[in-house]
Coordinates of all heavy atoms in Angstrom, one line a residue:
E22 N 28.1 -56.0 -52.8 CA 29.3 -56.7 -52.3 C 30.4 -55.7 -52.3 O 30.8 -55.1 -53.3 CB 29.6 -57.8 -53.3 CG 30.9 -58.5 -52.9 CD 31.5 -59.4 -54.0 OE1 30.7 -59.8 -54.9 OE2 32.7 -59.6 -54.0
I23 N 31.0 -55.5 -51.1 CA 32.0 -54.5 -50.9 C 33.4 -55.2 -51.1 O 33.5 -56.4 -51.1 CB 31.9 -53.8 -49.5 CG1 32.1 -54.9 -48.5 CG2 30.6 -53.1 -49.4 CD1 32.3 -54.3 -47.1
V24 N 34.4 -54.4 -51.3 CA 35.8 -54.8 -51.5 C 36.4 -54.8 -50.1 O 36.5 -53.7 -49.5 CB 36.5 -54.0 -52.5 CG1 38.0 -54.5 -52.5 CG2 35.9 -54.1 -53.8
K25 N 36.8 -55.9 -49.6 CA 37.5 -56.0 -48.3 C 38.7 -56.8 -48.5 O 38.6 -58.1 -48.5 CB 36.5 -56.5 -47.2 CG 37.1 -56.4 -45.8 CD 36.1 -56.7 -44.7 CE 36.7 -56.5 -43.3 NZ 35.7 -56.9 -42.3
L26 N 39.9 -56.2 -48.6 CA 41.1 -56.9 -48.9 C 42.1 -56.6 -47.9 O 42.3 -55.4 -47.5 CB 41.6 -56.6 -50.3 CG 42.9 -57.1 -50.8 CD1 42.8 -58.6 -50.9 CD2 43.4 -56.5 -52.1
D27 N 42.9 -57.6 -47.4 CA 44.0 -57.4 -46.5 C 45.2 -57.0 -47.4 O 45.8 -57.9 -48.0 CB 44.2 -58.6 -45.7 CG 45.2 -58.4 -44.6 OD1 45.9 -57.3 -44.6 OD2 45.4 -59.2 -43.6
V28 N 45.5 -55.8 -47.5 CA 46.6 -55.3 -48.4 C 47.9 -55.9 -47.9 O 48.8 -56.3 -48.7 CB 46.6 -53.8 -48.5 CG1 47.8 -53.3 -49.3 CG2 45.3 -53.3 -49.0
Q29 N 48.1 -56.0 -46.6 CA 49.4 -56.5 -46.1 C 49.6 -58.0 -46.5 O 50.7 -58.4 -46.9 CB 49.4 -56.4 -44.6 CG 50.7 -56.6 -43.9 CD 51.6 -55.4 -43.9 OE1 51.2 -54.4 -44.4 NE2 52.8 -55.5 -43.4
R30 N 48.5 -58.7 -46.4 CA 48.6 -60.2 -46.8 C 48.8 -60.3 -48.3 O 49.5 -61.2 -48.8 CB 47.4 -60.9 -46.3 CG 47.5 -62.4 -46.5 CD 46.2 -63.1 -45.9 NE 46.1 -62.9 -44.5 CZ 46.6 -63.6 -43.6 NH1 47.4 -64.6 -43.9 NH2 46.4 -63.3 -42.3
A31 N 48.1 -59.5 -49.1 CA 48.1 -59.6 -50.5 C 49.5 -59.2 -51.1 O 50.0 -59.8 -52.0 CB 47.1 -58.7 -51.2
V32 N 50.2 -58.3 -50.5 CA 51.5 -57.8 -51.0 C 52.6 -58.7 -50.4 O 53.5 -59.1 -51.2 CB 51.7 -56.3 -50.6 CG1 53.1 -55.9 -51.0 CG2 50.6 -55.5 -51.3
Y33 N 52.6 -59.0 -49.2 CA 53.7 -59.6 -48.5 C 53.5 -61.1 -48.3 O 54.4 -61.8 -47.9 CB 54.1 -59.0 -47.2 CG 54.4 -57.5 -47.3 CD1 53.5 -56.5 -46.9 CD2 55.6 -57.1 -47.9 CE1 53.9 -55.2 -47.0 CE2 56.0 -55.8 -48.0 CZ 55.1 -54.8 -47.6 OH 55.4 -53.5 -47.7
G34 N 52.2 -61.6 -48.5 CA 52.0 -63.0 -48.3 C 51.6 -63.4 -46.9 O 50.9 -64.4 -46.6
T35 N 51.9 -62.5 -45.9 CA 51.5 -62.8 -44.5 C 51.0 -61.5 -43.9 O 51.2 -60.4 -44.5 CB 52.7 -63.3 -43.7 OG1 53.8 -62.3 -43.8 CG2 53.2 -64.6 -44.2
A36 N 50.4 -61.6 -42.8 CA 50.0 -60.4 -42.1 C 50.7 -60.3 -40.8 O 50.3 -60.8 -39.7 CB 48.5 -60.5 -41.8
P37 N 51.9 -59.6 -40.8 CA 52.7 -59.6 -39.6 C 52.0 -58.7 -38.5 O 51.2 -57.8 -38.8 CB 54.0 -58.9 -40.0 CG 53.6 -58.1 -41.3 CD 52.5 -58.9 -41.9
Q38 N 52.3 -59.1 -37.3 CA 51.7 -58.3 -36.2 C 52.3 -56.9 -36.1 O 53.5 -56.7 -36.4 CB 51.9 -59.1 -34.8 CG 51.2 -60.4 -34.8 CD 51.5 -61.1 -33.5 OE1 52.2 -60.6 -32.6 NE2 50.9 -62.3 -33.3
R39 N 51.5 -56.0 -35.7 CA 52.0 -54.6 -35.5 C 52.8 -54.5 -34.2 O 52.2 -54.8 -33.2 CB 50.9 -53.6 -35.6 CG 50.2 -53.6 -36.9 CD 49.1 -52.6 -36.9 NE 48.4 -52.5 -38.2 CZ 48.8 -51.7 -39.2 NH1 49.9 -50.9 -39.0 NH2 48.1 -51.6 -40.3
R40 N 54.0 -54.1 -34.3 CA 54.8 -54.0 -33.1 C 55.1 -52.5 -32.8 O 55.4 -51.7 -33.7 CB 56.2 -54.7 -33.3 CG 56.1 -56.2 -33.4 CD 57.4 -56.8 -33.6 NE 58.2 -56.3 -34.7 CZ 59.4 -56.5 -34.9 NH1 60.1 -57.3 -34.1 NH2 60.0 -56.0 -36.0
R41 N 54.9 -52.1 -31.6 CA 55.1 -50.8 -31.2 C 56.6 -50.5 -30.9 O 57.2 -51.3 -30.2 CB 54.3 -50.4 -30.0 CG 54.4 -49.0 -29.5 CD 53.5 -48.7 -28.3 NE 53.7 -47.3 -27.9 CZ 53.0 -46.3 -28.4 NH1 52.1 -46.5 -29.3 NH2 53.2 -45.1 -27.9
R42 N 57.2 -49.6 -31.6 CA 58.6 -49.3 -31.4 C 58.8 -48.7 -30.0 O 58.1 -47.8 -29.5 CB 59.0 -48.2 -32.4 CG 59.0 -48.8 -33.8 CD 59.4 -47.7 -34.9 NE 60.8 -47.4 -34.7 CZ 61.2 -46.2 -34.4 NH1 60.4 -45.2 -34.1 NH2 62.5 -45.9 -34.3
P43 N 59.8 -49.3 -29.2 CA 60.0 -48.8 -27.9 C 60.5 -47.3 -27.9 O 61.2 -46.9 -28.8 CB 61.1 -49.7 -27.3 CG 61.8 -50.2 -28.6 CD 60.7 -50.3 -29.6
E44 N 60.1 -46.6 -26.9 CA 60.5 -45.2 -26.8 C 62.0 -45.2 -26.4 O 62.5 -45.9 -25.5 CB 59.7 -44.5 -25.7 CG 58.2 -44.4 -26.0 CD 58.0 -43.5 -27.1 OE1 58.8 -42.6 -27.4 OE2 56.9 -43.6 -27.8
P45 N 62.8 -44.4 -27.1 CA 64.2 -44.3 -26.8 C 64.5 -43.6 -25.5 O 63.8 -42.7 -25.2 CB 64.8 -43.5 -28.0 CG 63.6 -42.7 -28.5 CD 62.4 -43.6 -28.3
Q46 N 65.5 -44.1 -24.8 CA 65.9 -43.5 -23.6 C 66.6 -42.2 -23.8 O 66.7 -41.4 -22.9 CB 66.7 -44.5 -22.7 CG 66.0 -45.8 -22.4 CD 64.7 -45.5 -21.6 OE1 64.7 -44.6 -20.7 NE2 63.7 -46.4 -21.8
S47 N 67.3 -42.1 -24.9 CA 68.1 -40.9 -25.2 C 68.0 -40.7 -26.7 O 67.5 -41.5 -27.5 CB 69.5 -41.0 -24.8 OG 70.2 -42.1 -25.5
V48 N 68.5 -39.5 -27.2 CA 68.5 -39.2 -28.6 C 69.4 -40.2 -29.4 O 69.1 -40.6 -30.5 CB 68.9 -37.8 -28.8 CG1 68.9 -37.4 -30.3 CG2 68.0 -36.8 -28.1
M49 N 70.5 -40.6 -28.8 CA 71.4 -41.5 -29.5 C 70.9 -42.9 -29.7 O 71.3 -43.7 -30.6 CB 72.8 -41.5 -28.8 CG 73.4 -40.2 -28.7 SD 73.8 -39.5 -30.3 CE 74.9 -40.7 -31.0
Q50 N 70.0 -43.3 -28.8 CA 69.4 -44.7 -28.9 C 68.3 -44.8 -29.9 O 67.9 -45.9 -30.2 CB 68.9 -45.1 -27.5 CG 70.0 -45.2 -26.5 CD 69.5 -45.7 -25.1 OE1 68.3 -45.9 -25.0 NE2 70.3 -45.7 -24.1
G51 N 67.7 -43.7 -30.4 CA 66.6 -43.8 -31.3 C 67.1 -44.2 -32.7 O 68.2 -43.7 -33.2
V52 N 66.4 -45.1 -33.4 CA 66.7 -45.5 -34.7 C 65.6 -45.1 -35.7 O 64.4 -45.3 -35.4 CB 66.8 -47.1 -34.8 CG1 67.2 -47.5 -36.2 CG2 67.9 -47.5 -33.8
A53 N 66.0 -44.4 -36.8 CA 65.0 -43.9 -37.7 C 64.3 -45.0 -38.4 O 64.9 -46.1 -38.7 CB 65.7 -43.0 -38.7
P54 N 63.0 -44.8 -38.8 CA 62.3 -45.9 -39.5 C 63.0 -46.2 -40.8 O 63.0 -47.4 -41.3 CB 60.9 -45.3 -39.7 CG 60.8 -44.3 -38.6 CD 62.2 -43.7 -38.4
S55 N 63.6 -45.3 -41.5 CA 64.3 -45.6 -42.8 C 65.5 -46.5 -42.6 O 65.7 -47.4 -43.4 CB 64.8 -44.2 -43.4 OG 65.6 -43.5 -42.6
A56 N 66.2 -46.3 -41.5 CA 67.3 -47.2 -41.2 C 66.8 -48.6 -40.8 O 67.4 -49.6 -41.2 CB 68.1 -46.7 -40.0
E57 N 65.7 -48.7 -40.2 CA 65.1 -50.0 -39.9 C 64.7 -50.7 -41.2 O 64.9 -51.9 -41.4 CB 63.9 -49.9 -39.0 CG 64.2 -49.5 -37.5 CD 63.0 -49.5 -36.6 OE1 61.9 -49.7 -37.2 OE2 63.2 -49.3 -35.4
K58 N 64.1 -50.0 -42.1 CA 63.7 -50.6 -43.4 C 64.9 -51.0 -44.2 O 64.9 -52.1 -44.8 CB 62.8 -49.6 -44.2 CG 62.4 -50.1 -45.5 CD 61.7 -49.0 -46.4 CE 60.5 -48.5 -45.7 NZ 59.8 -47.6 -46.6
R59 N 66.0 -50.2 -44.2 CA 67.2 -50.6 -44.9 C 67.8 -51.8 -44.4 O 68.2 -52.7 -45.1 CB 68.2 -49.4 -44.8 CG 69.4 -49.6 -45.7 CD 70.3 -48.3 -45.6 NE 71.3 -48.4 -46.6 CZ 72.5 -48.9 -46.4 NH1 72.7 -49.5 -45.2 NH2 73.5 -49.0 -47.3
L60 N 67.8 -52.0 -43.0 CA 68.4 -53.2 -42.4 C 67.5 -54.4 -42.7 O 68.1 -55.5 -43.0 CB 68.5 -52.9 -40.9 CG 69.2 -54.1 -40.1 CD1 70.6 -54.4 -40.6 CD2 69.2 -53.8 -38.6
A61 N 66.2 -54.2 -42.8 CA 65.3 -55.3 -43.1 C 65.6 -55.8 -44.5 O 65.5 -57.0 -44.8 CB 63.9 -54.9 -42.9
I62 N 65.8 -54.9 -45.5 CA 66.0 -55.3 -46.9 C 67.4 -56.0 -47.0 O 67.5 -57.0 -47.7 CB 66.0 -54.0 -47.7 CG1 64.6 -53.4 -47.8 CG2 66.5 -54.3 -49.2 CD1 64.5 -52.1 -48.4

């Protein structure tokens, strides 16, 4: 019997869909992943 666990669902309660970050049109339009995480918190 192997261990098969959805870590995303176990930690957060749900399994959100993976969204692909859009490619920025310029350097100023790009948002760092750390800034996105901070805003989400």
Side-chain angles (χ1 to χ4, degrees):
E22 179 197 335
I23 62 172
V24 178
K25 190 173 183 180
L26 176 67
D27 190 346
V28 178
Q29 192 83 0
R30 187 181 298 275
V32 173
Y33 301 107
T35 59
Q38 298 180 356
R39 295 180 178 273
R40 296 181 302 173
R41 182 178 179 85
R42 297 176 65 243
E44 295 292 336
Q46 300 298 327
S47 63
V48 179
M49 298 302 296
Q50 294 180 4
V52 180
S55 58
E57 290 185 353
K58 181 188 295 184
R59 186 175 188 274
L60 182 59
I62 294 172

